[in-house]
Amino acid sequence: LESLLKGKLSYQEYRSQFLASTGLSESDADTLDAECLKMFETSYAHTEGLLQRVSQLFDLYLLSEHCEIFAAHIQNTHSFFRYLKGTLWSYEVGTTKKSAIALIDRYSLNPSECLIVDDNQVNISVADSMGFSKVHFLEPESVHQLYRAIENG
């Protein structure tokens, strides 16, 4: 999976390997594709409003771990991208969120002036080690924690 996310393996190559490893046939590819894309159909109910509000106060960037096909689908499905100053997909830079260096370099960011929001503890730990402020987003109630972090600078 990491090779797919880093852009070292195409989705079609990954899908073929996945189907073979699970005993499924290539005839199941369309069903797999549709089910994978369904995962990205709905964002959290609060996402649009939160990003709109916060984007009025801060520059927002997205560092996301997706292959090219999923990234394109997400961008075509959701309108919240208009609130982002920049977007960086893992497949574009050959690294995952475990290394936020690509985001720092691409947009000349200073970690001490940034807030990382993520649902993965490993990514939160990496952000902490790099000097980012962080919010571990676990559930809808995490929105309140995020607002407190923003208000406290």
Side-chain angles (χ1 to χ4, degrees):
L1 181 61
E2 192 153 312
S3 292
L4 172 68
L5 298 177
K6 289 182 176 182
K8 295 179 180 180
L9 193 64
S10 74
Y11 174 72
Q12 291 76 11
E13 292 167 321
Y14 175 80
R15 179 183 60 201
S16 291
Q17 290 176 10
F18 175 82
L19 291 171
S21 72
T22 58
L24 297 170
S25 71
E26 286 293 328
S27 65
D28 295 310
D30 289 342
T31 301
L32 176 64
D33 293 349
E35 291 302 313
C36 287
L37 293 176
K38 270 191 210 177
M39 294 186 298
F40 309 116
E41 292 297 318
T42 309
S43 60
Y44 292 116
H46 55 271
T47 301
E48 186 88 16
L50 173 68
L51 292 177
Q52 180 182 19
R53 179 176 172 198
V54 175
S55 70
Q56 294 171 0
L57 303 169
F58 303 97
D59 293 337
L60 302 178
Y61 300 89
L62 174 69
L63 173 59
S64 192
E65 295 176 337
H66 289 292
C67 66
E68 188 172 1
I69 289 174
F70 294 163
H73 178 74
I74 293 166
Q75 287 180 298
N76 291 328
T77 302
H78 300 285
S79 60
F80 61 77
F81 286 89
R82 67 179 177 244
Y83 302 116
L84 304 176
K85 186 168 183 179
T87 303
L88 190 61
W89 300 97
S90 58
Y91 79 88
E92 294 175 317
V93 292
T95 187
T96 61
K97 288 188 212 176
K98 294 169 190 67
S99 173
I101 298 297
L103 186 66
I104 293 167
D105 291 347
R106 165 90 45 106
Y107 296 108
S108 301
L109 301 176
N110 179 347
S112 67
E113 297 173 354
C114 297
L115 172 67
I116 294 281
V117 180
D118 204 289
D119 61 353
N120 183 302
Q121 181 58 53
V122 172
N123 297 338
I124 291 296
S125 296
V126 169
D128 188 43
S129 72
M130 296 179 72
F132 286 94
S133 296
K134 69 255 173 246
V135 171
H136 191 185
F137 201 95
L138 298 173
E139 54 197 353
E141 289 74 34
S142 296
V143 170
H144 302 295
Q145 182 185 2
L146 177 56
Y147 281 136
R148 280 193 300 279
I150 290 167
E151 289 170 0
N152 294 331

